[in-house]
Amino acid sequence: MHRRRRTALAVSVALLGAGPLLTACGSEAHPGAAAVVGGDRIAVSALQSQVKDVRTAQQASPQAAQLIKNTGQLSRAKLHGLIFDKVLDRAAADAGVTVSRKELQEARAAMAQQAGGAKAFADMLLQQRGLAPDQIDDAVREQVQLTKLAAATGADLGTPQGQAAVTKTLAAASKALRIDVNPRYGTWDDKAIQLTDYQAPWLSQVTKTKPDQPEQDAAVTG
């Protein structure tokens, strides 16, 4: 049992630390919305707020210039994350999966310990995933949900078959939500569970990540 927990933890930390970053702008079909998921709007202002938090954290780092350069596509990465969280919430709810505050606290503490402490964990997530300190709880919650969803559906995230099974579950939830993305950000692919032309950082990036392809942020407007 302990070995299984360590394996799940390692997968979770790998998931949290993986992935390239992307960007885009505005809406015409849904003014002020970056996307509409299950009838709920993801406001451009919410996206802007997430990007601003990351930029503020990056600017306070000794590696500020390099961090900002490596996350030139940050806005799009944040939109992907906001949509993916809603898809995961739907899949988890359909499977009867919930995450308690205690589970979240324990998972964050364990991941931080494995990363070498809370500061090292926060620094790693800022550098590798473009996460500001106030975004860490949501990211940890995502990984706990994903692990519990896999368990609830009898899938093993450590195997290609298990990953394919979870992907299928998420794809079904994604399709049910009828996701409509502002065309300036691209379109949402239900099967791949990601924005088009975007390498999502979850399952496909666990063991191997591709170098970022920096671009300058597009202006984010309503």
Side-chain angles (χ1 to χ4, degrees), residues 16 125 129 131 135-144:
L16 280 171
L125 294 181
R129 181 80 181 272
L131 289 173
Q135 296 167 3
I136 295 176
D137 274 351
D138 287 340
V140 172
R141 180 176 180 274
E142 176 184 294
Q143 305 314 320
V144 175

Side-chain angles (χ1 to χ4, degrees), residues 17 39 52 102 107 139 179 190 217 222:
K52 182 179 178 181
K102 181 180 179 182
I179 298 166
D190 289 322
D217 274 335

Side-chain angles (χ1 to χ4, degrees), residues 150-163:
T153 56
D156 181 357
L157 283 176
T159 67
Q161 295 83 358
Q163 293 178 12

